[in-house]
Every structure is written in structure tokens, then in C-alpha cells.
Amino acid sequence: MPMPSSNREAGLLRFGVFEVDLAAGELRKNGARIRLQEQPFQVLTALLQNAGQVVTRDELREKIWPADTFVDFDHSLNTAVNKIRESLGDSASSPRFVETLARRGYRFIAPVDSVGAAAAESATAHDTGTRAGAPAPHGLMVHPELYVPVPRRGLVRALFALIQVMYLIFYVSGLAHLHDAERVASSFLSGWRALVIVGAVLVTGAVGIPLRFYLLSAVGFDFRKLGATFGRLFPFILALDQLWAIAPFLLLSRIGVGLAFAATAALLYVPFSERTLVRMAYSSSAPVTAAFDSR
């Protein structure tokens, strides 16, 4: 018989982008089930139900390993906690979820909400946007930093890679038709000013090609620090992309002024799209990054 809705909600606990269904015995990331064995799941449940409080090793032993169970308790508990951390993308040295208290026990340190409480909070905060980590319409999860539905990570990385390929085509085409750039620049400017434009195309194209290959390889090999690296490079990338946004004017004789302006206007926004895509796929929040791995 299906469980009533209120009871089902009471059995759902959420922390960040993770969700634990106590009734079904499931741990999920953005709706995708993560395999977690029975004893690690029971340990996680005990920690979640006492979030913010120390759960001693003796309490866990009494709850999960009865007195008539003949096992190496210390080894079993350590193994269970390690499996929990592995599933959550957590670490003992810098914990975000499970904190170890030497010779005492463990404590779950992240905020834990039930689905019912989250829904009430979302309703009262409707005017300020969807709460980070709460379900968006149609059951989608919301990115905790960008407040948009979390897409598939593979799709985000593919879109970012396509943008890099687009700029590579711009650079190679611009350098291959450098005389056309000189002709277009000379039609608007005269003397040394036109040469400055041609020089800018030459230098930025030569610098941009290795930059795009670096970004392509980083996203291709799933370099986990790409988010921080891209953040440091962003001012330079922004200036470079804004300059190359005028690339459509190299085709002025073929596409006309109106279409050249429209394409330039669209390209002016692309670097900000790149930054958003990187933040989606390589969030500074470790739980979010881990959650993407299952998608």
C-alpha cells in the first residue's frame, strides 16, 4: 500500500543536493540513486537524525551492531564511514558533512531539512527565488549558487567545448584572411590606426589559439580545478572575447551591416555564458560537483 504523502515527506531528508529516502533506504544525488550498502546507510541515517550532535561510537554500535553480532566493530564502523564519505564526495581532513571526533564518535555538520520543511520555506520565500538545493518545478534540483535547474553535467561541458571550438575557428580564419582584416580596417580607419587593428588581430589570435586548446583539454580531461582557473583567467578572456566579438565585420561584404551588428551583439554575451557554464560544471561547492558526477 502506498505510504501517505505526509509520512513519505517525513521520511525524506535533504542536505545540499543530496536526498535520503528513509522509507526506501535510498541515497540520491539530484534524483539519481547512489549505491550505498545497508550498514553505511544506517550509519548515515543515524547521523542525519542527530544532525549537529555527536553520535558516539557506542551509540552506533548499540543501534546497528547488536551485542550478538560477531564482527570487528571498529573496522566495520570505519569502513562504513569511509563509504559514506566516498558517496558524498567528502573527506576526513576537511569535512563538509561527516566530522570525526577522535575516540568519541561522529557528527553530521551540514544543515539537514525534511522535504516538508523545505516546501514551506520555499512558499514563504517565493518572491526571493527558489531556495538553493530545493526542488525546482517538475522535480528538478536547483543549483545552490546560480539558482537555476541543474542540467546534465555532460551537456554543460559539451556546450563549453563547442564555444572553444567556435573561437578557434574565428582565430584561424582571421589569421588566414589577415589581408581582409586590413582591408576592412582601412575602410573605416586610415594610416597607423588600421595597422593597429591588424596587429591586434594578429597578436590576440596567436595568443587565443593556445588558450582555447588549453580550455578544450581541461574540459575534455575533466580538470576539477577548471572553475578556479577560469575565474582567474576570466578578465583576460573577457577582454579577448569582447575584441573578437567584432569578427562578423570581417564578413561585412557577404552578410551586410545589420547581420554583422546582430552577430556582434550575440558574441558580446558569450564570455558570460562561458563563465556560467564553468560554474555549473565546476562549482566551488564540493557537494555540487560530486552531484554532477552522477548525471
Side-chain angles (χ1 to χ4, degrees):
M1 180 179 296
M3 183 180 293
S5 176
S6 60
N7 293 337
R8 207 193 318 265
E9 287 186 353
L12 289 176
L13 301 176
R14 180 175 291 115
F15 49 100
V17 294
F18 293 88
E19 184 179 81
V20 168
D21 189 332
L22 299 180
E26 293 181 353
L27 170 65
R28 295 189 286 263
K29 296 178 183 178
N30 296 316
R33 181 179 177 181
I34 305 172
R35 295 189 61 181
L36 190 62
Q37 296 174 343
E38 181 179 358
Q39 285 185 344
F41 186 84
Q42 291 176 340
V43 173
L44 177 60
T45 299
L47 296 177
L48 288 173
Q49 291 175 333
N50 296 275
Q53 303 177 19
V54 177
V55 181
T56 66
R57 299 175 68 89
D58 290 338
E59 290 172 342
L60 291 171
R61 183 171 189 169
E62 292 176 4
K63 182 177 181 65
I64 303 171
W65 287 272
D68 58 351
T69 302
F70 297 96
V71 297
D72 184 343
F73 167 71
D74 290 332
H75 175 73
S76 298
L77 180 57
N78 292 337
T79 300
V81 172
N82 288 335
K83 288 185 178 296
I84 292 172
R85 287 187 170 128
E86 181 180 351
S87 298
L88 301 180
D90 202 11
S91 68
S93 58
S94 56
R96 291 179 175 272
F97 297 113
V98 180
E99 178 187 27
T100 300
L101 290 92
R103 296 183 297 276
R104 293 182 59 194
Y106 303 92
R107 176 166 53 201
F108 198 87
I109 58 177
V112 178
D113 299 314
S114 68
V115 169
E121 179 180 343
S122 178
T124 58
H126 181 270
D127 293 336
T128 60
T130 306
R131 184 179 62 87
H138 311 297
L140 295 175
M141 297 299 298
V142 173
H143 194 285
E145 296 178 359
L146 301 176
Y147 295 90
V148 296
V150 175
R152 292 187 178 276
R153 188 167 182 268
L155 175 61
V156 173
R157 293 171 58 207
L159 290 174
F160 182 79
L162 286 175
I163 292 176
Q164 309 316 307
V165 173
M166 177 190 73
Y167 277 111
L168 275 175
I169 294 173
F170 284 173
Y171 300 151
V172 173
S173 179
L175 294 177
H177 300 85
L178 198 59
H179 60 281
D180 291 333
E182 182 179 3
R183 177 177 52 81
V184 173
S186 299
S187 64
F188 290 97
L189 303 170
S190 60
W192 63 270
R193 295 181 179 85
L195 293 178
V196 169
I197 297 298
V198 175
V201 171
L202 181 62
V203 172
T204 56
V207 172
I209 289 175
L211 170 66
R212 299 301 168 177
F213 274 121
Y214 167 75
L215 293 176
L216 267 176
S217 62
V219 74
F221 288 102
D222 203 10
F223 177 49
R224 293 311 175 101
K225 293 185 179 181
L226 179 58
T229 302
F230 189 87
R232 292 192 295 268
L233 291 175
F234 183 72
F236 171 74
I237 293 174
L238 177 62
L240 187 65
D241 289 358
Q242 298 299 295
L243 176 62
W244 277 87
I246 64 174
F249 281 93
L250 296 175
L251 303 174
L252 191 61
S253 60
R254 300 181 184 179
I255 64 177
V257 175
L259 190 55
F261 269 109
T264 295
L267 288 172
L268 289 173
Y269 180 73
V270 172
F272 302 101
S273 299
E274 291 180 273
R275 182 174 63 177
T276 299
L277 290 172
V278 168
R279 291 182 65 189
M280 285 182 175
Y282 299 93
S283 171
S284 59
S285 172
V288 174
T289 302
F292 273 118
D293 292 340
S294 65
R295 298 180 69 87

